[in-house]
Amino acid sequence: MAVKTLFSTEDFQEILSAYDLGEFKNLKPFKTGNVQTNVLLETSRGKCVFRYYESRTENYARFEMNVLEYLTRHEYPCPAPIRNKQCEYVSSYQDKPFVLLEFLEGEHSDSEDNGKQIAKAIGQLHTLTLHYKPDYAE
């Protein structure tokens, strides 16, 4: 099960009020994943991903967003973190950290070609981050 914490429409309306992403329209939980709650949010301005850290610290979330921001700046294909109105990536709801991420279209694939693409992307990732020292590293 990919969703561990259930959120209401009102919860997401409150969460989105801290961002410049438009009005809440719809939500769709992701079927895959087993550590964090990940939900596709649709707003009047488009789609984004809500990630609620069920068992990770705020510093872990900050570390992850710093890495994604670094990778995005270096044009690595990954979802860009989204800042709230206070220019922060990490927020808190019900005493747990959460983030919003850019939604990238795509689907899961088990094809042989997909494996080759993943291997190439991992090589690029290793090269790009070889000397990167992220903040909040535990």
Side-chain angles (χ1 to χ4, degrees):
M1 176 178 202
V3 173
K4 295 181 181 234
T5 301
L6 299 176
F7 293 89
S8 68
T9 297
E10 292 78 19
D11 291 330
F12 282 123
Q13 288 170 335
E14 181 181 339
I15 287 166
L16 287 170
S17 70
Y19 294 82
D20 288 320
L21 297 172
E23 299 296 318
F24 172 81
K25 288 178 69 178
N26 199 8
L27 67 96
K28 180 180 178 183
F30 286 96
K31 296 177 184 175
T32 58
N34 59 9
V35 177
Q36 313 310 331
T37 292
N38 292 290
V39 177
L40 176 62
L41 294 180
E42 185 179 352
T43 74
S44 56
R45 294 190 185 160
K47 296 177 183 177
C48 65
V49 174
F50 170 80
R51 173 171 291 157
Y52 191 64
Y53 292 88
E54 300 286 354
S55 59
R56 304 283 187 172
T57 65
E58 183 174 320
N59 276 350
Y60 179 88
R62 290 183 190 288
F63 164 78
E64 189 174 66
M65 293 308 102
N66 284 158
V67 172
L68 287 175
E69 191 273 332
Y70 174 84
L71 294 174
T72 300
R73 241 184 315 121
H74 289 86
E75 299 180 6
Y76 185 81
C78 65
I82 299 171
R83 293 183 190 271
N84 60 25
K85 291 177 182 175
Q86 285 71 46
C87 294
E88 297 288 333
Y89 289 130
V90 180
S91 298
S92 180
Y93 195 76
Q94 299 175 351
D95 298 322
K96 291 184 182 179
F98 76 87
V99 298
L100 294 181
L101 301 164
E102 171 187 33
F103 174 69
L104 300 177
E105 292 288 342
E107 57 187 58
H108 289 271
S109 172
D110 293 329
S111 73
E112 184 176 317
D113 186 53
N114 190 50
K116 291 176 185 175
Q117 291 176 15
I118 290 171
K120 181 179 177 184
I122 290 172
Q124 292 170 337
L125 180 63
H126 282 288
T127 300
L128 183 60
T129 59
L130 186 62
H131 299 289
Y132 173 60
K133 303 251 190 279
D135 296 334
Y136 304 100
E138 294 180 354

